[in-house]
Amino acid sequence: MKRMPGLASRLCTVPVRGLLLTLALCQAAGPDARAASAPENTGTNAPPLLREALDGPMRDVEHIIFCTRSQYDDPHWYANIGYYCDDEQQKAYPGNGQPDVSKLYKWNLRTGELAVLLDPRGGCVRDPQVHYDAGKILFSYRKAGTDFFHLYEIGVDGAGLRQLTDGAFDDYEPTYLADGGIAFVSTRCKRWVNCWKTQVGVLHRCGSDGGDIRSISANTEHDNTPWPLPDGRLLFMRWEYVDRSQVEFHGLWTMNPDGTSPATYFGNMHPHTVMLGAKPIPGSDKVVACFSPGHGANEHAGIATVVSPKAGPDEPAFAKPLHQGRWTRDPYALSERCFLAARDNEIVLLDGSGAVEVLYRHAVEGGVHEPRPVVARPRERLIQPRTHPGPAVGRMILADVYLGRNLPGVARGEIKKLLILESLPKPVNFSGGPDLVSWLGTFTLERALGTVPVESDGSAYFEAPSDRQLFFVALDERDLAVKRMQSWCNVRPGEVVGCVGCHEPRTRAPANRKTSGLEAMARAPSRIEPFEGFPDVLDFTRDIQPILDRHCVSCHGYERREGGVILTGDLGPEWSHSYFTLFARLLVADGRNGLGNQPPRSIGSSASRLLRLAEGGHYDAKVSPREWRTLWLWIETGAPYAGTYAALRNEAQQAAASGAPGRVFAERLEVARQRCYTCHKPPSGREDPMELPFYPSAERMNRAKASRPTAVYERLVQENDPAARLSPHILLNFTRPEHSPLLLGPLAKTAGGFGSCGEVFRDTQDPDYRRLLGAIRLAREGIEAHQCFGTPTFRPNRQYIRELARFGVLPAAFDPARDPLDVFAADQAYWRSLWPSSGGH
């Protein structure tokens, strides 16, 4: 049937409780539709869910507000604000820079009248929340032709539009607070996603007029969808990964409205779900949230799920899905058996048994989002502020470090100290991986603040800097890592926070000590003891390579190459040969991007053979105490390669680095077909110039198996890990191209080669040798032309300069071609700019 302008089609009306209910299987016609006309026929059977709802939890609901908007292109749930780091002209927000179809609507579910409360006319409206008295609506609004979302209010009648916040940042996902303030997510934290190309938003709060804006979260990654619980705490989604997978952990957390007492609510131990849009269920202690699968879906879509806290935060059986099939989003509970949600262009009603009914279907462009009933609700309990004016420090109390999960074999008295580490935010980021920060280890640089003592009863009591993302490593008497925290915590100014143990079950309370209190509490709080004279953020080339040069390279360089191990600082396509080798040979143990809470002594200094070899256990190699501490600090701070975020490569630089091996290997493929396939011919149909050296010969496979634990080797082979075979990262040498193992392997020993492939090249005048050497030199020129980190031509890219200038760290007119810049000092200035100058609020 052809739809005519100004009319609505497929209306069904039924009398319910004496009212004429218009079910919006209606199609709201035209972008400015104001009402749905009555249908000709009336039914006698109202849908059962709606009939029950109107007789119960929805008896006082007449209107529902909701937004429509264009979809954004990025697959991630969070990438719907701002611009992409590589190109500030490429917008991430809905519409991706094009005019949006967004509107703020009020729909009368009893008459079918559809009113437009706000038409942005190409702008965008999102995240509406109805005030406690149901008289006004709080939302986020990006005006047409602008790039930033700000907070606004409007009356439920569409009058009195009022702007609350402004500035060159995005403010979104707001919620009213019982104390009269507003909590919201904002990019005012000035940081970028550690594993993507868009900006981070974390929890902030402001007054009712939009003033007194301040951050209440120390997260280096996203917080999302805050909402108050009846007891006054804020419930929200926290994405975090400290030395664990970047795509797995996005659980529900709580904090007080002033940012104190952050605590896991549900899911921090369980991967594969993003828990968004959580809100309390009236009349119960449960909440409803959208469980978006895996690393989350575009537009917060997933399965509406009821979560009970009765078994603590780690019991998956206490999360019950409300439906199957098509994904929903933005659930809102009116009771344990009545839930509103959005689904594509629909508003649906859910019960607790899996049934789904469509209440409204929007026929105009744009998906439906955030349906909220216009109904008054009680304010939550007030929680008094727990921060204090004064120095930007708080205090932390650890009751017993030996109480926790996954601590087998750790004896009482074994732990002597806590190492205090800080995960550092990024001013730029360009990819989904750690790039030059690490080789699939840490995604952020980590600062070593120092150590504090642990008493004989396992307790610790110390001061900590406020509003910084901190985590700990338990150390033994030799300062070796016993257990590494793979989450994080923080204190607010003047706050005192305590924990029971080390990764202890969250349903466990502190032990009742009948005879005495905690030993650590019998004294003043410890001050963190820094590592005086050592860098707090380590850089491999600056801090570690000189140690290898002094003690290792004489045996493990290209001139000698004992055991086939190369520890020179020559640059490969991404990292130095020594950095790659230390990980490929399993000499350093980091988090390896796993699922967290690893067993004792499996990460860090205790598990890193490099330290044992450096202590004198490897021929005559023995480092000095200062050198040992430097190696130790590097390992415990995540074993980074680049110690500055200026090293992060923009898309052009990444393309140059990744394309360089391809160009070389294309030449190698032609040579290999003629001279290498006798030993290294790939399986049928798998010829690939990047698969070098075209599958190791049987002899090499046997040697490799003998040189490493079989189980580890088989795992690397199964996972297609570059460490299981020769990799471009070690085959190509862009510092000294003639020392590329790609050339030295088939070059005769008499000509200075390794001779590992016999004498494919008898000397360096062989035409194919010269052909490959020329290709490597040409690839090096391409990387140097892009001024990549590690090359003699390195210069921070324009995006790094742009963001530091935007954040006020560098002058707006700074020119890296003209003005000298110490990138390590620039990073430190950026991090300091984020620290609170004093306590308060």
Side-chain angles (χ1 to χ4, degrees):
M1 180 178 71
K2 183 177 180 181
R3 180 164 53 85
M4 298 180 63
L7 298 179
S9 63
R10 298 189 62 188
L11 295 175
C12 174
T13 60
V14 293
V16 178
R17 299 179 67 233
L19 297 172
L20 184 68
L21 172 67
T22 304
L23 298 177
L25 297 171
C26 61
Q27 309 293 324
D32 298 315
R34 302 290 299 182
S37 59
E40 296 179 359
N41 64 313
T42 60
T44 58
N45 296 316
L49 295 190
L50 186 56
R51 185 189 312 121
E52 180 181 344
L54 289 172
D55 284 334
M58 293 182 68
R59 67 172 59 88
D60 298 322
V61 178
E62 184 170 348
H63 292 99
I64 294 174
I65 61 162
F66 64 92
C67 294
T68 59
R69 57 179 176 267
S70 301
Q71 191 168 3
Y72 60 95
D73 294 339
D74 199 290
H76 298 95
W77 88 87
Y78 55 83
N80 53 18
I81 51 168
Y83 54 86
Y84 286 90
C85 193
D86 193 78
D87 180 5
E88 59 271 31
Q89 300 306 314
Q90 183 185 5
K91 310 304 181 183
Y93 50 73
N96 299 105
Q98 300 301 312
D100 205 326
V101 297
S102 177
K103 289 184 177 66
L104 177 63
Y105 288 100
K106 182 174 69 172
W107 175 60
N108 189 315
L109 61 82
R110 300 174 187 273
T111 68
E113 182 182 11
L114 184 67
V116 177
L117 298 183
L118 179 64
D119 183 353
R121 301 186 183 277
C124 184
V125 178
R126 55 176 292 175
D127 316 316
Q129 195 204 45
V130 178
H131 191 263
Y132 296 104
D133 63 11
K136 58 185 177 181
I137 302 164
L138 174 67
F139 60 99
S140 186
Y141 175 26
R142 180 185 58 79
K143 289 186 175 181
T146 68
D147 290 328
F148 300 106
F149 284 95
H150 296 122
L151 303 188
Y152 283 76
E153 282 184 326
I154 196 170
V156 294
D157 59 356
L161 179 66
R162 180 171 73 126
Q163 183 172 352
L164 301 180
T165 65
D166 59 12
F169 301 98
D170 286 291
D171 303 323
Y172 55 105
E173 296 178 351
T175 184
Y176 286 114
L177 298 175
D179 61 12
I182 296 169
F184 61 101
V185 177
S186 180
T187 60
R188 297 170 189 269
C189 56
K190 302 177 183 178
R191 57 200 64 176
W192 289 74
V193 174
N194 298 325
C195 62
W196 199 233
K197 313 168 188 179
T198 53
Q199 294 172 67
V200 166
V202 304
L203 285 176
H204 287 64
R205 65 165 293 158
C206 65
S208 60
D209 61 353
D212 193 24
I213 296 175
R214 56 192 187 273
S215 173
I216 56 174
S217 171
N219 204 353
T220 61
E221 276 296 0
H222 274 280
D223 302 323
N224 279 104
T225 57
W227 200 278
L229 290 169
D231 64 10
R233 292 177 298 162
L234 271 177
L235 178 67
F236 63 101
M237 189 287 301
R238 177 165 121 175
W239 180 20
E240 60 157 74
Y241 44 100
V242 175
D243 297 331
R244 60 178 180 172
S245 172
Q246 81 277 22
V247 296
E248 304 289 355
F249 297 96
H250 333 74
L252 294 177
W253 286 71
T254 61
M255 66 166 59
N256 293 335
D258 65 351
T260 57
S261 299
T264 181
Y265 183 87
F266 190 84
N268 193 42
M269 295 290 290
H270 301 293
H272 316 308
T273 306
V274 184
M275 303 175 187
L276 292 160
K279 304 172 190 67
I281 300 175
S284 79
D285 60 355
K286 301 173 184 176
V287 303
V288 63
C290 181
F291 276 28
S292 195
H295 188 40
N298 181 287
E299 300 288 13
H300 294 194
I303 301 296
T305 303
V306 171
V307 176
S308 171
K310 286 187 179 297
D314 303 323
E315 183 47 66
F318 279 65
K320 303 289 187 182
L322 287 174
H323 62 92
Q324 297 179 339
R326 290 169 61 189
W327 288 350
T328 62
R329 56 178 174 255
D330 311 320
Y332 189 102
L334 292 110
S335 75
E336 289 193 73
R337 289 187 52 81
C338 184
F339 304 86
L340 294 173
R343 186 177 69 180
D344 297 329
N345 65 332
E346 300 169 334
I347 299 174
V348 297
L349 189 66
L350 314 171
D351 71 357
S353 63
V356 181
E357 285 182 359
V358 177
L359 296 185
Y360 172 87
R361 184 174 291 121
H362 195 69
V364 191
E365 285 186 278
V368 170
H369 298 267
E370 299 105 18
R372 314 279 194 244
V374 182
V375 63
R377 68 185 194 281
R379 292 178 184 258
E380 301 80 20
R381 183 174 72 91
L382 284 174
I383 298 177
Q384 294 302 313
R386 298 179 182 177
T387 60
H388 303 287
V393 297
R395 287 173 286 168
M396 291 186 165
I397 303 167
L398 169 63
D400 189 348
V401 72
Y402 300 102
L403 294 179
R405 290 172 286 201
N406 207 8
L407 286 170
V410 179
R412 284 200 168 270
E414 188 174 343
I415 296 172
K416 305 297 184 182
K417 300 176 185 176
L418 293 180
L419 171 64
I420 315 297
L421 298 172
E422 177 184 5
S423 185
L424 297 166
K426 287 181 170 178
V428 290
N429 202 60
F430 304 98
S431 71
D435 195 30
L436 298 187
V437 173
S438 73
W439 178 19
L440 203 59
T442 180
F443 278 69
T444 65
L445 294 173
E446 299 170 0
R447 184 202 306 277
L449 298 182
T451 62
V452 295
V454 173
E455 306 300 334
S456 61
D457 65 347
S459 65
Y461 178 39
F462 56 95
E463 285 188 346
S466 63
D467 296 324
R468 313 256 288 273
Q469 184 171 307
L470 307 178
F471 63 106
F472 314 125
V473 181
L475 305 176
D476 66 13
E477 61 184 1
R478 297 182 59 226
D479 281 358
L480 297 180
V482 177
K483 179 73 174 179
R484 189 176 183 91
M485 182 177 177
Q486 293 185 271
S487 182
W488 62 269
C489 61
N490 69 284
V491 289
R492 303 240 46 229
E495 182 185 11
V496 180
V497 64
C499 56
V500 175
C502 179
H503 289 282
E504 80 283 355
R506 295 302 189 233
T507 53
R508 186 169 189 168
N512 185 10
R513 304 197 178 200
K514 297 181 179 179
T515 57
S516 63
L518 302 177
E519 291 181 15
M521 297 295 291
R523 54 168 172 76
S526 302
R527 297 286 184 91
I528 297 174
E529 185 68 29
F531 298 97
E532 295 289 354
F534 292 88
D536 56 359
V537 179
L538 280 291
D539 176 82
F540 183 84
T541 301
R542 182 192 65 192
D543 302 312
I544 305 304
Q545 188 60 49
I547 300 175
L548 302 180
D549 290 342
R550 286 190 291 270
H551 298 280
C552 307
V553 170
S554 60
C555 294
H556 298 294
Y558 286 106
E559 292 74 17
R560 190 165 171 182
R561 204 173 66 97
E562 292 289 346
V565 174
I566 299 292
L567 292 177
T568 66
D570 296 70
L571 183 65
E574 293 193 51
W575 309 287
S576 69
H577 287 185
S578 52
Y579 185 83
F580 175 82
T581 298
L582 290 177
F583 286 94
R585 297 278 176 163
L586 307 179
L587 294 172
V588 176
D590 62 4
R592 286 294 88 195
N593 206 231
L595 294 184
N597 198 15
Q598 298 301 309
R601 300 188 182 277
S602 61
I603 300 175
S605 53
S606 287
S608 296
R609 286 200 305 133
L610 176 64
L611 277 183
R612 296 197 296 275
L613 296 175
E615 289 174 335
H618 184 64
Y619 299 97
D620 59 350
K622 186 173 183 179
V623 300
S624 69
R626 179 177 179 81
E627 290 171 325
W628 185 92
R629 180 61 71 186
T630 302
L631 290 172
W632 179 89
L633 279 168
W634 173 68
I635 291 170
E636 293 299 353
T637 55
Y641 177 60
T644 170
Y645 289 138
L648 297 176
R649 300 168 300 173
N650 62 29
E651 292 182 11
Q653 292 170 322
Q654 291 178 58
S658 62
R663 289 190 292 272
V664 174
F665 294 167
E667 296 289 337
R668 172 63 162 143
L669 180 59
E670 296 301 320
V671 174
R673 285 171 176 162
Q674 302 175 36
R675 307 183 69 170
C676 303
Y677 272 15
T678 302
C679 296
H680 300 291
K681 188 173 182 179
S684 177
R686 294 188 62 178
E687 185 178 70
D688 185 336
M690 296 297 287
E691 295 287 330
L692 284 180
F694 301 106
Y695 294 82
S697 64
E699 178 186 1
R700 180 172 179 80
M701 289 284 281
N702 290 332
R703 289 203 310 267
K705 275 192 174 185
S707 68
R708 66 178 71 218
T710 301
V712 173
Y713 183 80
E714 294 296 348
R715 175 178 60 80
L716 294 174
V717 171
Q718 183 180 3
E719 296 177 359
N720 200 30
D721 193 293
R725 52 197 174 123
L726 285 180
S727 161
H729 297 297
I730 196 72
L731 284 170
L732 302 179
N733 189 326
F734 291 147
T735 301
R736 297 177 289 175
E738 67 278 5
H739 280 68
S740 296
L742 181 65
L743 295 172
L744 295 176
L747 181 64
K749 289 185 178 180
T750 55
F754 297 160
S756 53
C757 292
E759 296 185 354
V760 177
F761 302 143
R762 291 183 178 274
D763 55 47
T764 57
Q765 299 307 308
D766 185 291
D768 286 329
Y769 174 96
R770 305 301 301 179
R771 178 181 181 181
L772 291 178
L773 177 60
I776 296 170
R777 286 173 172 166
L778 187 62
R780 178 183 67 175
E781 291 175 6
I783 290 179
E784 291 183 350
H786 283 84
Q787 302 174 321
C788 295
F789 184 78
T791 67
T793 60
F794 167 65
R795 184 177 293 164
N797 57 48
R798 73 169 187 86
Q799 293 88 349
Y800 178 83
I801 301 300
R802 178 195 71 206
E803 293 302 299
L804 288 194
R806 184 167 79 94
F807 298 154
V809 177
L810 293 178
F814 185 88
D815 182 357
R818 179 195 64 213
D819 305 322
L821 180 65
D822 181 337
V823 292
F824 299 104
D827 275 9
Q828 294 281 359
Y830 160 68
W831 296 320
R832 285 194 302 271
S833 75
L834 306 177
W835 298 352
S837 58
S838 64
H841 305 294

